[in-house]
Amino acid sequence: MPPHDLADLPSTTKPIKHDCHPSSFPRSARKSADSMSRRSPQKPSPRTTVRPAEVVRRDDDWTTRPELRIRVLGLPTDINTHALWNSFSPHGAVSQIEIFENNRGLRDGSARITFSPPPLEPFWQRIQPFRVGWGAGNSIPVRLSLEAPRRTFYHPSPVNPSIKYPEVMTLQADSIDFGIMYDRNTMMSMHTVVASPRGGIRFKQSMLYRETVVEFCVDINNRSELFRFSIPFAHLDTILRVDRGQKANIELVVSLPTPPRFFRKLDERDTHEPKARYWAENDAWFRQTDITDSPIRVRDAPITIKKPGPIIDIGRWTTYRLKFDISSSKSQCLFRQIGQALRDYNITIQEITGFEIASHREPAVWKYIDQPITAPHKPTSTLADLFKDESIPPLAFPVRYQLEVCISHGYLNEHNLGQEFIRQLRNMDPTKAQDILEYVANQEKRVFEPMELFDIKIIKGSASRPPIPQYCAFIRSATITPSTVYFNTPTVEISNRVIRYYAEHADRFLRVRFTDEKVEGKIYSTDKDTMNEVFTRVKRALRNGIKVGERHYEFLAFGNSQFRENGAYFYAPLPHLEAQQIRNWMGNFDEIPYVAQHAARLGQCFSTTRAIIGTRTTIREIEDEERNGHVFTDGVGMLSPFLAQLITHELGVVRTSSEPPSIFQFRMGGCKGILAVSPSSKLQEITIRRSQYKFAARHEGLEIIRWSQFAASNLNRQIIVVLSALGVPDKIFVEKQKAQLADLTLAMTNELKALTMLQKDIDPNQMTLTLAGMILDGFQRCQEPFMISMLRLWRAWSIKYLKEKARITIEKGAFLLGCVDETATLKGHFDESPIPKAHEPLEQRVKSLPEVFVQLSKGPNGKPEVILGPMLLARNPSLHPGDIRVVQGVDVEALRHLKDAVVVPQTGDRPIVNMCSGGDLDGDDYLVIWDPELLPREWNHPPMDFTPAEKIPLGRQVTPDDLTSFFVEYMKNDNLSKIAVAHLAFADFMEDGVKSTKCLKLAELHSTAVDYTKSGVPARMTRDLNPWKWPHFMEKKSKPRESIYQSRKVLGQLFDQVERIDFVPVYDAAFDKRILNAYKMESTMLEDAAAIKRQYDAAVRRIMAQHAISTEFEVWSTFVMSHSKASSDYKFHEESGRIAMALKDRFRALCYEKAGGSNFQTLGPFAAAMYTVTADEISQAVVEARAKKAGMTTDRMPMMSFPWLFQSVLGKIANATTVA
């Protein structure tokens, strides 16, 4: 179903067609208490697709098994799962159907039917043949046989393997309450479901999948609907057992910080796909976004914290109370067994007395903050009466927004917010009120007594608006999940063209991201309809907007990177400025009839850029070099050395030489791509090619995204499996990783080794060079705590990516921007050139190679170095055996002005970058490796054809509704990561690796998926391309045990060679006395430094909270160990670089202002003061931790990174003989 139709769907496709009497619930394990359901041919218990834990095998009678499997033979090859379900479901609860195929992808006439629980009668033993219905009223005889059980259905305790639990243990509950924690000992019940003849409640512990599942029925518009929610054990910490003095009646309370995933069960008959060969009961469980009796109100409403008329607000009522009657001895035994099993998984069952239940009442706070209030003269005890006799205006929007930040994240709850709290917020200075609420958000803890906040000394936060760099802006953001919305404290981000132009209205923009529930990460694509309601909610948000107070945010557009991460910009319109007017200003897109391309061109305006405002430019237009349907100069323009120098100065680019970068990635009006330095260009001249022009734009200013610089070359899993298939021996990779692991260990104690590695393995954010500078300043030698912590983090981060990505650093290599040879000197690829043969001499093999020019700005001797000889050229990701090219490095004097770039030819029959995973030159990075050990036996395997799929014109002008529909379609059909994962699995499993038919097909699909954002043509994976076997190094914990195998190939060897390590920062080491004793500092300076540190710490905590980063060290360095799953690791490393740069520039500017200047004489004392207040805070916290015998963990200790905004200044202080 097209996603743009999803918004018009009813709540689900069809209501469930069975009652919810307890007897209709499926049986789980037969050896359970009498609280479990009796055997019934009703629908089976839901099972989530999570990897089974190790179980103990034993023989058993079929009647005692929780499930039973029957093999069916003699089926027609065109049979489907629906026909099999219709034939077998009358005999019992069918939980899974699998129609088999042979290794050629052809059906062999057999299938497996799984029942859970087993049927009542052994119908497969009947004398007469079993008949399967197929066709119009026809049936065919088939042969049935009972399969042996795969496991014993008992699960060993992780604490004591000799203790075994049933895979599923179930208690029947009498009732369940949904609500919120009103205070620490009181739950406010918002809705109660009571077990009745029409609806039962089941509390299940799945030991196999390590989760708690609760099933319950809700009466909606005269029908019973079956729902469930599941809580992974990893997300459970404590379950409260309320002691009421009654042994037979038990109350359990589960309170979660974030909502679990909710599902509703549809009629199983309606959940079969026509051509699918696999069906499972989970296909009948559809994700839910609301439980409501008024879907029309939900359909037409904007996204708000307060949902319109829910029966159960599944996003915010995340405290659950279950009541049980365990009067029988069997149920008491089962309850004890469940409690012990949960404790084995570190889930505490905490007994509590005095726990209260408050009845549901509507919070009055919304009424008082949404409209002016008029109150009488005499105050009384009622809410409205406490206000003075005057009309009080609504909360200032920044205050209202920040209040919703706190409420949406659960730090404040509207039921705790009284009239006095709102009155005080209204009456105080809005900036101070915002600071108070930002303080609450920064603490990330629930506040049950909000009035106490007014007694806390609040230090100025971001609401007080300290100066920020001119290229940045304060941006509000929201995260919309399937069940709720989270608003986030405004953060400083590098801006874009639109935000800069409408700077006076910057606070009316809202950056929105759509994700799964907080702990789940990104919403992944699916070829099933089980996520329809989630995609419908996304479409509703894009169509109906988001409401905060009086502001109604509407969809505006999305940047290209945003789009891939399921994000978009919204805008709250003004009478004189609406969203369409902004889109009109962005450019003229009327002549682009393709929705995907239209969206991509709009997205250009939202690229994160820095505007060049200090110089005027002139434009010269030239034609592209085109042949054979290829554009050899695609995306490449030129600029003069003079203009490059001006840009370098204005951006403050740090260079090791006086020369500017050779290449700049840019945006200018409707043009995009790169600008390479050209000695022939004049002064402020920019040369643009036709391929760089994308649309007509009003704004024509030059904007810079990034510039060329050296970054280390690193292998990855995809590159390694391709090189392995081309003939590079496994031992080469194994030895290189072994050496890197040894060097990382030695670097922790050996300054020279650390310095060498950091200066060679340069990350894209250049942070390793910063750490190298700190080592040169002696901070490793004196064991300075921040320095040692950073080295530990760098090592842990490096090892993590060796383990998970095979990120092996290659010393003889680089990761560089690509550009074209404007002199047409380099020899290109010619189709008639012979492919080099492995047996030929090297001199003969290199003669037919295409040529490239690579010059590093700093070689081993510190001088520029031109790389000569054969080398690898590749682009990430490389999936096809022809994606990695062997080229010849040559020296061309006319190109020596270009450094830290790979210059490719414009001659030949096909661009060599196009053969590298379909690359071009508008800003792509390329991996170049001249390590002879990595030159494969096979050179230049025939490349893949990367001709993009044909775009289909819309036939009319593109509308915002078309854009939002495409947004949802992309979310549902974005198979890029799924294809890459399948390719990696098959590359290891198949004998031919990446040359196997499946891998070659997946490589083609991957190319289509990459182009999806521009072509609008999705890459659809057929079922035969879904792996059925997974190598152990992919760590597929959600897959069945029997589908995991121990890989003996190169990636398996590399994975087993690495052991992860935890990052543990150092707090109890001595701070550097060279800095502490450098100056005599006045108390005023120390107070000023402490005040800025508090603001800095708060800003860092906001970044940590927004991106789920664990420590400040990761924010400062960009070596992030873990983050929210909304972005890929590679993309987030880029993003974290921009985040860290904006943070540091912002607070450096504030420190310059407070210190009185940026020269060393002025700034040195202030930097020392920053270091001193940090040392004092840490030292005091260490003393307190030791006294309390508490751990020195990052969540308990003060922050340490603040003074290292000026690491070079601290180094100069530490190495000065006399500074004061």
Side-chain angles (χ1 to χ4, degrees):
M1 180 176 296
H4 58 269
D5 294 329
L6 295 178
D8 300 318
L9 286 174
S11 182
T12 56
T13 307
K14 287 187 180 180
I16 190 168
K17 297 179 181 177
H18 62 76
D19 65 25
C20 292
H21 187 277
S23 64
S24 74
F25 282 94
R27 181 184 52 183
S28 163
R30 288 182 179 261
K31 291 187 176 182
S32 63
D34 58 2
S35 59
M36 297 176 61
S37 303
R38 300 178 62 186
R39 188 173 358 176
S40 168
Q42 299 291 332
K43 298 185 174 46
S45 172
R47 293 184 185 274
T48 54
T49 312
V50 182
R51 180 184 179 183
E54 185 176 354
V55 293
V56 183
R57 299 178 180 273
R58 66 181 177 83
D59 293 329
D60 205 353
D61 181 69
W62 71 267
T63 61
T64 63
R65 302 176 200 165
E67 73 173 33
L68 179 142
R69 303 196 306 173
I70 293 176
R71 179 62 66 101
V72 187
L73 302 173
L75 290 167
T77 56
D78 57 348
I79 195 78
N80 59 35
T81 60
H82 186 264
L84 292 173
W85 188 91
N86 281 336
S87 298
F88 285 91
S89 60
H91 299 277
V94 176
S95 61
Q96 185 175 301
I97 300 171
E98 185 175 7
I99 301 171
F100 292 107
E101 294 179 348
N102 60 27
N103 57 10
R104 293 176 295 165
L106 302 176
R107 295 189 177 186
D108 60 10
S110 67
R112 174 186 294 135
I113 312 296
T114 303
F115 291 87
S116 179
L120 290 170
E121 302 295 337
F123 65 91
W124 59 91
Q125 295 178 356
R126 295 173 184 170
I127 298 176
Q128 63 272 29
F130 188 88
R131 302 189 71 86
V132 170
W134 182 234
N138 299 322
S139 65
I140 54 172
V142 296
R143 301 187 302 278
L144 306 181
S145 62
L146 184 65
E147 290 189 357
R150 292 182 297 174
R151 57 186 193 274
T152 64
F153 309 106
Y154 280 82
H155 175 69
S157 162
V159 177
N160 183 355
S162 65
I163 299 175
K164 301 174 181 61
Y165 302 109
E167 287 181 357
V168 180
M169 296 179 285
T170 307
L171 276 175
Q172 192 77 29
D174 294 334
S175 66
I176 179 172
D177 292 273
F178 298 82
I180 56 109
M181 290 300 294
Y182 183 76
D183 59 37
R184 290 178 179 83
N185 294 300
T186 304
M187 173 187 176
M188 179 177 286
S189 175
M190 313 299 284
H191 184 82
T192 302
V193 174
V194 179
S196 69
R198 292 190 63 193
I201 301 167
R202 288 162 58 86
F203 180 69
K204 301 167 54 177
Q205 309 307 313
S206 173
M207 310 311 297
L208 189 64
Y209 300 117
R210 301 177 179 91
E211 65 179 1
T212 294
V213 177
V214 178
E215 295 177 1
F216 60 97
C217 281
V218 177
D219 290 333
I220 302 176
N221 297 329
N222 298 319
R223 70 178 188 270
S224 270
E225 299 282 9
L226 178 59
F227 294 90
R228 80 176 186 197
F229 62 89
S230 56
I231 311 169
F233 287 170
H235 300 160
L236 265 178
D237 179 47
T238 302
I239 297 177
L240 300 179
R241 177 180 176 179
V242 182
D243 186 358
R244 306 285 188 195
Q246 299 176 340
K247 292 185 178 179
N249 296 316
I250 298 297
E251 292 182 30
L252 297 181
V253 176
V254 178
S255 188
L256 301 177
T258 60
R261 295 184 299 167
F262 275 73
F263 301 82
R264 180 155 67 115
K265 193 168 189 183
L266 271 65
D267 192 314
E268 293 177 353
R269 289 173 291 188
D270 301 322
T271 59
H272 296 261
E273 297 178 20
K275 297 182 180 180
R277 67 174 189 85
Y278 181 85
W279 177 91
E281 182 210 7
N282 268 345
D283 293 341
W285 286 96
F286 278 46
R287 280 291 297 275
Q288 294 297 290
T289 61
D290 303 276
I291 299 180
T292 179
D293 56 5
S294 182
I296 294 179
R297 290 179 64 188
V298 173
R299 183 188 66 190
D300 298 330
I303 300 294
T304 58
I305 291 178
K306 190 174 184 295
K307 288 189 174 182
I311 296 175
I312 301 173
D313 188 340
I314 63 177
R316 303 197 59 227
W317 301 348
T318 58
T319 297
Y320 316 100
R321 179 182 68 148
L322 294 110
K323 298 176 72 173
F324 305 89
D325 177 1
I326 57 168
S327 53
S328 72
S329 59
K330 287 185 178 180
S331 58
Q332 290 173 13
C333 177
L334 179 60
F335 182 78
R336 287 193 296 270
Q337 192 177 31
I338 288 174
Q340 183 58 53
L342 292 173
R343 280 189 286 271
D344 286 353
Y345 282 94
N346 202 31
I347 300 169
T348 303
I349 311 295
Q350 179 183 333
E351 293 205 8
I352 184 173
T353 58
F355 190 84
E356 303 293 333
I357 301 294
S359 58
H360 170 228
R361 64 174 183 271
E362 287 295 325
V365 64
W366 297 112
K367 180 174 69 173
Y368 294 107
I369 63 176
D370 282 337
Q371 60 189 20
I373 302 168
T374 301
H377 284 290
K378 293 183 179 181
T380 67
S381 59
T382 64
L383 181 63
D385 291 344
L386 288 175
F387 292 96
K388 295 180 181 179
D389 185 13
E390 59 185 41
S391 180
I392 303 176
L395 290 171
F397 181 77
V399 179
R400 167 62 186 265
Y401 175 85
Q402 196 61 36
L403 179 61
E404 295 213 20
V405 170
C406 296
I407 293 174
S408 67
H409 285 275
Y411 309 139
L412 294 174
N413 189 281
E414 58 264 46
H415 291 87
N416 297 119
L417 303 180
Q419 66 277 24
E420 185 65 17
F421 180 82
I422 300 301
R423 185 181 68 81
Q424 289 207 35
L425 278 184
R426 273 201 177 99
N427 290 343
M428 67 171 48
D429 178 76
T431 299
K432 184 177 180 182
Q434 193 177 350
D435 280 338
I436 288 174
L437 295 172
E438 287 194 8
Y439 170 82
V440 174
N442 292 340
Q443 297 304 303
E444 297 185 287
K445 295 178 181 178
R446 173 69 186 275
V447 176
F448 290 105
E449 299 294 339
M451 291 303 297
E452 294 178 358
L453 295 172
F454 297 110
D455 299 326
I456 299 174
K457 264 193 170 183
I458 303 295
I459 305 301
K460 288 182 179 181
S462 69
S464 304
R465 291 292 186 268
I468 62 173
Q470 64 178 7
Y471 61 86
C472 294
F474 279 99
I475 300 296
R476 293 189 172 99
S477 63
T479 302
I480 297 178
T481 71
S483 66
T484 190
V485 58
Y486 300 97
F487 297 104
N488 303 306
T489 299
T491 55
V492 177
E493 299 180 8
I494 298 178
S495 62
N496 55 59
R497 178 187 305 176
V498 178
I499 301 295
R500 280 193 296 271
Y501 186 80
Y502 294 101
E504 60 182 312
H505 305 303
D507 67 329
R508 303 189 75 85
F509 291 88
L510 185 71
R511 187 169 48 76
V512 178
R513 177 174 278 177
F514 297 90
T515 73
D516 210 322
E517 302 300 351
K518 241 185 184 182
V519 294
E520 302 293 339
K522 186 175 180 179
I523 297 174
Y524 288 99
S525 62
T526 176
D527 56 356
K528 299 179 181 179
D529 292 333
T530 53
M531 291 286 286
N532 267 7
E533 292 217 12
V534 174
F535 296 122
T536 299
R537 175 171 164 84
V538 174
K539 176 63 179 181
R540 282 201 306 262
L542 294 166
R543 183 183 62 191
N544 300 340
I546 303 166
K547 201 165 188 300
V548 182
E550 79 281 4
R551 291 192 183 179
H552 192 139
Y553 290 92
E554 301 173 354
F555 167 77
L556 177 62
F558 39 79
N560 296 324
S561 295
Q562 251 191 325
F563 181 48
R564 292 184 177 90
E565 304 299 336
N566 301 340
Y569 272 102
F570 282 55
Y571 169 74
L574 291 164
H576 64 281
L577 185 62
E578 298 182 347
Q580 187 57 51
Q581 291 173 270
I582 296 176
R583 284 191 290 267
N584 291 341
W585 171 85
M586 290 161 61
N588 181 6
F589 309 98
D590 293 344
E591 296 182 1
I592 304 176
Y594 311 102
V595 178
Q597 190 178 30
H598 189 109
R601 298 302 169 238
L602 278 167
Q604 278 184 223
C605 302
F606 288 95
S607 297
T608 300
T609 58
R610 294 180 63 175
I612 302 303
I613 58 178
T615 183
R616 297 178 63 87
T617 59
T618 58
I619 307 299
R620 183 171 70 100
E621 298 181 9
I622 62 173
E623 294 299 320
D624 282 287
E625 185 69 26
E626 299 184 54
R627 281 186 308 283
N628 305 327
H630 298 290
V631 182
F632 287 72
T633 53
D634 188 12
V636 183
M638 292 175 279
L639 82 168
S640 68
F642 174 75
L643 185 54
Q645 199 69 264
L646 290 178
I647 294 171
T648 302
H649 177 73
E650 183 169 335
L651 296 182
V653 179
V654 178
R655 301 289 293 170
T656 56
S657 69
S658 59
E659 295 182 1
S662 298
I663 301 173
F664 296 88
Q665 189 178 9
F666 81 109
R667 299 286 187 268
M668 186 170 64
C671 298
K672 66 187 288 280
I674 63 169
L675 298 173
V677 171
S678 171
S680 62
S681 295
K682 301 174 183 177
L683 294 178
Q684 290 153 297
E685 181 181 82
I686 290 178
T687 302
I688 297 294
R689 284 190 165 92
R690 184 179 296 274
S691 62
Q692 297 181 285
Y693 179 84
K694 305 301 180 182
F695 63 91
R698 296 183 185 179
H699 182 279
E700 295 184 350
L702 177 62
E703 301 165 332
I704 301 300
I705 297 175
R706 62 188 183 118
W707 46 88
S708 57
Q709 56 188 7
F710 176 88
S713 62
N714 295 288
L715 302 180
N716 55 45
R717 286 178 170 177
Q718 287 84 5
I719 294 283
I720 289 172
V721 294
V722 172
L723 287 177
S724 179
L726 295 176
V728 177
D730 292 357
K731 65 179 182 180
I732 298 297
F733 304 107
V734 172
E735 288 302 317
K736 288 185 181 295
Q737 180 172 267
K738 181 180 178 181
Q740 186 171 343
L741 286 168
D743 287 346
L744 284 167
T745 300
L746 182 59
M748 295 302 100
T749 55
N750 185 298
E751 280 188 58
L752 182 59
K753 177 56 70 176
L755 194 61
T756 301
M757 291 191 72
L758 289 166
Q759 289 176 333
K760 288 182 178 179
D761 185 8
I762 302 173
D763 66 298
N765 294 322
Q766 309 282 291
M767 284 306 304
T768 57
L769 294 179
T770 299
L771 297 185
M774 293 164 64
I775 291 176
L776 288 172
D777 287 328
F779 292 118
Q780 183 181 16
R781 191 179 315 118
C782 70
Q783 294 290 289
E784 202 285 330
F786 185 77
M787 174 83 258
I788 300 305
S789 296
M790 288 312 309
L791 286 175
R792 288 185 178 186
L793 174 60
W794 166 66
R795 177 176 178 241
W797 179 81
S798 299
I799 289 175
K800 167 188 167 69
Y801 283 98
L802 281 172
K803 182 76 170 178
E804 298 173 8
K805 309 287 186 183
R807 186 183 179 274
I808 302 172
T809 301
I810 304 301
E811 182 177 341
K812 295 179 180 180
F815 191 58
L816 307 171
L817 269 171
C819 72
V820 77
D821 167 26
E822 298 288 355
T823 69
T825 303
L826 297 173
K827 182 178 68 175
H829 164 83
F830 292 91
D831 294 337
E832 68 273 12
S833 297
I835 297 176
K837 301 296 189 297
H839 64 272
E840 296 175 341
L842 181 63
E843 297 78 7
Q844 181 66 28
R845 299 181 79 188
V846 300
K847 286 181 179 179
S848 61
L849 292 179
E851 297 172 339
V852 299
F853 175 81
V854 177
Q855 180 180 207
L856 307 182
S857 58
K858 189 177 181 180
N861 59 0
K863 296 179 181 179
E865 178 189 17
V866 176
I867 307 301
L868 304 175
M871 64 180 72
L872 302 179
L873 180 70
R875 174 177 171 266
N876 288 322
S878 292
L879 275 63
H880 190 273
D883 284 347
I884 300 179
R885 314 306 295 174
V886 179
V887 295
Q888 176 77 350
V890 298
D891 188 7
V892 178
E893 187 173 354
L895 297 176
R896 286 191 181 178
H897 60 283
L898 296 172
K899 299 181 179 67
D900 295 331
V902 53
V903 186
V904 299
Q906 60 167 286
T907 61
D909 295 327
R910 180 177 175 182
I912 60 172
V913 291
N914 177 260
M915 293 185 276
C916 297
S917 309
D920 55 30
L921 297 172
D922 70 350
D924 286 0
D925 293 292
Y926 292 88
L927 186 71
V928 287
I929 296 176
W930 52 92
D931 187 333
E933 291 186 324
L934 291 174
L935 282 175
R937 177 178 175 81
E938 179 185 354
W939 288 10
N940 293 342
H941 185 95
M944 197 171 83
D945 181 5
F946 292 99
T947 303
E950 184 177 352
K951 294 175 286 191
I952 302 174
L954 191 60
R956 56 173 172 78
Q957 287 192 1
V958 177
T959 67
D961 188 62
D962 295 322
L963 296 174
T964 58
S965 294
F966 177 59
F967 185 97
V968 183
E969 287 174 4
Y970 179 81
M971 287 184 66
K972 188 170 185 181
N973 297 302
D974 175 24
N975 290 316
L976 188 65
S977 61
K978 188 183 297 185
I979 293 168
V981 167
H983 180 276
L984 185 62
F986 280 125
D988 189 85
F989 181 71
M990 295 291 182
E991 183 177 352
D992 292 335
V994 296
K995 295 181 179 179
S996 66
T997 302
K998 288 187 182 293
C999 282
L1000 293 175
K1001 177 61 177 174
L1002 285 164
E1004 291 179 15
L1005 282 175
H1006 193 272
S1007 176
T1008 303
V1010 168
D1011 289 336
Y1012 184 18
T1013 57
K1014 298 176 183 177
S1015 69
V1017 179
R1020 303 194 185 278
M1021 282 181 68
T1022 53
R1023 290 294 182 99
D1024 63 301
L1025 295 178
N1026 287 320
W1028 58 89
K1029 290 289 186 180
W1030 301 91
H1032 73 290
F1033 63 79
M1034 293 186 74
E1035 300 184 280
K1036 288 292 180 180
K1037 298 178 181 178
S1038 62
K1039 300 298 178 182
R1041 181 187 175 200
E1042 59 267 25
S1043 69
I1044 308 297
Y1045 68 92
Q1046 187 76 17
S1047 170
R1048 303 299 179 189
K1049 289 188 176 181
V1050 61
L1051 292 183
Q1053 298 173 50
L1054 293 172
F1055 179 84
D1056 293 339
Q1057 192 180 38
V1058 181
E1059 293 295 331
R1060 293 182 179 94
I1061 62 171
D1062 294 327
F1063 165 55
V1064 181
V1066 177
Y1067 289 105
D1068 52 359
F1071 280 75
D1072 197 332
K1073 292 183 179 179
R1074 297 178 297 170
I1075 303 172
L1076 295 175
N1077 299 330
Y1079 298 94
K1080 294 180 180 179
M1081 286 167 284
E1082 298 180 357
S1083 59
T1084 304
M1085 182 179 290
L1086 293 171
E1087 290 169 4
D1088 288 343
I1092 298 177
K1093 182 180 187 296
R1094 284 187 284 268
Q1095 293 183 59
Y1096 170 85
D1097 291 353
V1100 173
R1101 288 193 180 94
R1102 279 191 291 275
I1103 293 170
M1104 290 166 59
Q1106 182 178 1
H1107 300 285
I1109 300 173
S1110 298
T1111 71
E1112 61 164 326
F1113 304 95
E1114 295 163 76
V1115 173
W1116 187 90
S1117 67
T1118 74
F1119 299 141
V1120 178
M1121 297 289 288
S1122 63
H1123 57 91
S1124 62
K1125 300 175 184 176
S1127 300
S1128 67
D1129 290 341
Y1130 177 76
K1131 285 292 183 184
F1132 189 74
H1133 190 68
E1134 287 185 344
E1135 184 180 353
S1136 65
R1138 293 191 292 267
I1139 291 169
M1141 180 174 68
L1143 171 78
K1144 293 172 183 178
D1145 284 355
R1146 173 191 175 193
F1147 282 95
R1148 282 171 186 151
L1150 193 58
C1151 292
Y1152 294 150
E1153 180 183 344
K1154 190 61 69 174
S1158 59
N1159 59 72
F1160 179 72
Q1161 288 72 23
T1162 305
L1163 187 59
F1166 195 80
M1170 294 164 65
Y1171 190 83
T1172 300
V1173 297
T1174 302
D1176 290 345
E1177 287 183 12
I1178 298 291
S1179 299
Q1180 182 179 347
V1182 168
V1183 171
E1184 293 174 358
R1186 286 173 174 168
K1188 296 177 182 178
K1189 296 182 179 179
M1192 298 180 198
T1193 55
T1194 53
D1195 58 331
R1196 294 175 178 174
M1197 299 297 289
M1199 289 192 169
M1200 193 191 297
S1201 61
F1202 173 58
W1204 297 94
L1205 292 170
F1206 301 104
Q1207 77 277 350
S1208 61
V1209 176
L1210 294 179
K1212 193 171 182 179
I1213 295 171
N1215 290 287
T1217 53
T1218 305
V1219 294

